Amino acid sequence: QVQLVESGGGLVQAGGSPRLSCAASGRTFSTYHMGWFRQAPGKEREFVATISWNGGSTSYLNSVKGRFTISRDNAKNMVYLQMNRLKPEDTAVYYCAAGDTSHPVYVMITPRFYDRWGQGTQVTVSS
């Protein structure tokens, strides 16, 4: 039932700190685990971060740990990805996704456990 729309992508210099936003619509938003994934053209989709339905648990890709922060505001139906100290290798299309809370949160690093996806927002990091 949830629909997702990402925003905040664009061209940024290495070391920059943009914030991606994911706006969700639907009455059951708070019942979903949320995640961010990224994919470069011709490459496999890659897990970036996930957050449990109430924000109590988060997990990150090792290469972004300490640089990226996922958060959510259920009252506003919003999920965010704050990205700091960007590197050229962070260049990708970033996707917001929603997964059912029937799954244990530790499996939410896998794309197949998400059932709703946004259209993606391009993040290009220049050196």
Side-chain angles (χ1 to χ4, degrees), residues 15-65:
S17 300
R19 185 180 73 166
L20 304 184
S21 297
C22 175
S25 62
R27 295 182 178 181
T28 59
F29 171 72
S30 64
T31 69
Y32 289 88
H33 298 313
M34 300 297 297
W36 288 96
F37 292 76
R38 66 187 184 186
Q39 188 170 23
K43 295 186 178 180
E44 188 175 76
R45 192 181 308 163
E46 180 181 47
F47 165 77
V48 176
T50 189
I51 186 167
S52 59
W53 71 273
N54 64 352
S57 182
T58 59
S59 185
Y60 296 92
L61 174 68
N62 284 339
S63 64
V64 309
K65 195 173 300 181

Side-chain angles (χ1 to χ4, degrees), residues 8-14 16-18 20 86 91-92 121-127:
L11 179 63
V12 62
Q13 287 189 310
S17 300
L20 304 184
L86 281 182
T91 295
T121 184
Q122 176 73 47
V123 175
T124 302
V125 184
S126 65
S127 60

